Amino acid sequence: MKGQYKHLLNFVANLITLVFHGVMFGLIWYNYYATWIGENNVIPFARRGNWAIIGIYILIIFFFTNVFGGYRIGYMRVGDIILSCVLALVLANIVAYFELCLVWRDYVNAIPLMDVAAIEIIFTIFWNMIVRFVYKAMYPPRQMVLVYGDYSPDDLIKKINRRRDKYNICSAISFREKGMVEICREIDKYRSVVLNDLPGEVRNDLLKYCYQRSIRVYCTPKITDIMFRAADDIHLFDTPLYLFRNQGLTIDQRFFKRIMDIIISLVGIVIASPFMIIIALLIKLYDRGPVFYTQERLTRDGKEFKILKFRSMRVAKPGEEEHITMKEDDRITPIGRVIRNIHFDELPQLFNILAGQMSFVGPRPEWKMTTEKYTESVPEFKFRLKVKAGLTGYAQVYGKYNTTPYDKVKLDMTYIENYSIWLDIKIILLTIKILFQKENTEGIDSDQTTALK
C-alpha cells in the first residue's frame, strides 16, 4: 500500500527544495538587489514586479534541475542526484546573475548571489541525503525474476546488480528450459519481472499475463520496438495504423540543426581557444610529437571524413597496429589521461562541426573498419548512419565508451527516431554532467579487441 506514496514523497521533497530556493533568493532580492542603485538610477519594482523576478528564478532552478534529473530522488543514486542538483544550482545562478544585470541595466555585485548559492548547495546536499535515507528505509529493493531467451543474461544481471539499492534479481529462468505455466507461477511469487531477449510471441504472452494481473514489467527493447515508439498514428480508418517514415531527419530538421551547429561551434571555438592553446603547448612540450591526431571516420550515409582530436597517446611505433582504447591503456600519455577524463581531447572537433562534417549532437563517429566488423554481428549497426556523427550524443550521455554495439544502436536509434531541437539542447546540457562521471570514459576490458562481447 505504501508503494502508492512514492510519487507523493518525491513531490513533497522536491517542492520543499524549490520553496527553499525561492525563499533564499527572495531574501537577497528584497534586502539587497531590489534597492540596488547603479549608474542608471532605475525606479524600484512594484510588488508584483518583485514576485515576477523571484518567480523567474524559481523557474530557472526548476528547468536546470529537471533537465539534469535532480528531481528523480527515488530513481538515481544519491551521488548522481547531488551532482545533478549542484550543477543545476551553479548554472541557474549564473543565468540569474545575468538576469539581474539585465533588470538593472548595469553590472551588479555578484557576492550576495554567490553566498545564497553556497547556502542552497549545502542545504540541497544534506536534504537529498536525508530524503534518500527515508526513501530507502520505506522502499527496499524490488524483488524480481528475470526471464530470458537464447542468450545468457549475465551481462544484464551484472548491470542491474550495480543498483542493488533499487533492484534485486532473485531468480533467472530460461523460457527454453521451463514451460509457460512454471514461468508464470514464478512471476507470481515476485510481482515484478524482467523480460530479456525473448521471441516476440513469448514476450507478448508474458506481457498480457502481467498486464491482466497488474504485475510490473521491465523489458529490454528490440530495435523495432524503438521504431514503434516513434511511429505516427494514422486514424483515417476504424483500424489503427502506424506510419514509419524511415528517413532519419527531415529537411527542415536538418536545416535548423545545421544553423544551431554553426552558432554553437563558433561560440565554442572562441570560448575554448585559450584551453586549446594551453593543451597544444603541453602536448608539444611533453614529447615533441604532433599536437593533433586525425583518423578516418564515418558520418551520415557512410561518408568518410578526417576527425580532428588532440593526441592523447604516445606516437605509434612503426608497424604498430591501431586498436580501440582499453582500460588502463599504456599508450595514453599523462597529459592525454587528463584531457581524456575531461573530454578536452575532443575540442578540435568543433572545427569538424563548423565544416559540416559532423554535428554537435549525433551518434559517435566510428572507424570504417570497426563499423564493418560490428555490422557482421549487428546488421542494424549501420542504421546509425541515418544522421551525421556527433561530438556528443544520446549514446554518449546515456551509455559509456565501452557500451556494446547492439546497445549503442538502440540508444542512437532512440535519438534518431525521437529527434527534436529540444532533445539536442537537453543532450548538450547533460554532456556537462558526464564530464564529472569517470565511468563514461572507461575503455574496453583487456581481453577484448572491440566493444563486441
Side-chain angles (χ1 to χ4, degrees), residues 167-215:
Y167 307 115
N168 182 18
I169 295 181
C170 302
S171 176
I173 306 175
S174 169
F175 89 96
R176 297 288 187 192
E177 299 174 3
K178 306 290 183 179
M180 186 64 71
V181 174
E182 189 171 346
I183 290 174
C184 291
R185 191 181 298 122
E186 192 74 9
I187 289 173
D188 287 332
K189 292 179 184 178
Y190 296 101
R191 307 298 298 174
S192 289
V193 59
V194 180
L195 304 181
N196 178 45
D197 189 41
L198 292 171
E201 184 178 354
V202 176
R203 187 179 67 169
N204 292 344
D205 289 341
L206 289 175
L207 280 171
K208 292 173 185 176
Y209 177 85
C210 293
Y211 185 85
Q212 185 176 358
R213 290 159 180 78
S214 300
I215 296 173

Side-chain angles (χ1 to χ4, degrees), residues 97-260:
Y97 175 74
F98 288 111
E99 176 199 357
L100 292 173
C101 293
L102 288 172
V103 165
W104 291 114
R105 289 176 285 175
D106 193 6
Y107 290 107
V108 299
N109 186 0
I111 299 299
L113 191 61
M114 292 171 64
D115 291 340
V116 164
I119 294 171
E120 288 177 322
I121 289 172
I122 293 170
F123 170 82
T124 299
I125 291 173
F126 283 102
W127 178 245
N128 277 296
M129 290 175 68
I130 292 169
V131 173
R132 183 64 180 177
F133 177 80
V134 173
Y135 191 96
K136 191 174 181 180
M138 291 181 63
Y139 306 106
R142 188 177 296 277
Q143 311 296 305
M144 302 189 297
V145 58
L146 185 145
V147 184
Y148 63 95
D150 297 319
Y151 299 99
S152 170
D154 292 345
D155 190 51
L156 178 63
I157 292 173
K158 183 179 177 182
K159 291 178 181 179
I160 294 177
N161 282 343
R162 293 174 186 165
R163 291 302 310 272
R164 288 189 180 276
D165 59 315
K166 278 190 65 68
Y167 307 115
N168 182 18
I169 295 181
C170 302
S171 176
I173 306 175
S174 169
F175 89 96
R176 297 288 187 192
E177 299 174 3
K178 306 290 183 179
M180 186 64 71
V181 174
E182 189 171 346
I183 290 174
C184 291
R185 191 181 298 122
E186 192 74 9
I187 289 173
D188 287 332
K189 292 179 184 178
Y190 296 101
R191 307 298 298 174
S192 289
V193 59
V194 180
L195 304 181
N196 178 45
D197 189 41
L198 292 171
E201 184 178 354
V202 176
R203 187 179 67 169
N204 292 344
D205 289 341
L206 289 175
L207 280 171
K208 292 173 185 176
Y209 177 85
C210 293
Y211 185 85
Q212 185 176 358
R213 290 159 180 78
S214 300
I215 296 173
R216 183 178 292 243
V217 177
Y218 300 82
C219 185
T220 55
K222 300 179 186 295
I223 291 173
T224 49
D225 294 330
I226 295 170
M227 296 171 67
F228 267 104
R229 287 181 61 190
D232 292 332
D233 294 322
I234 301 296
H235 296 296
L236 297 177
F237 323 102
D238 58 355
T239 297
L241 287 178
Y242 284 147
L243 170 62
F244 301 85
R245 299 188 186 278
N246 300 329
Q247 62 182 5
L249 273 57
T250 61
I251 293 177
D252 56 315
Q253 287 175 331
R254 290 205 301 266
F255 174 77
F256 288 109
K257 187 175 176 65
R258 178 61 185 146
I259 295 298
M260 189 169 76

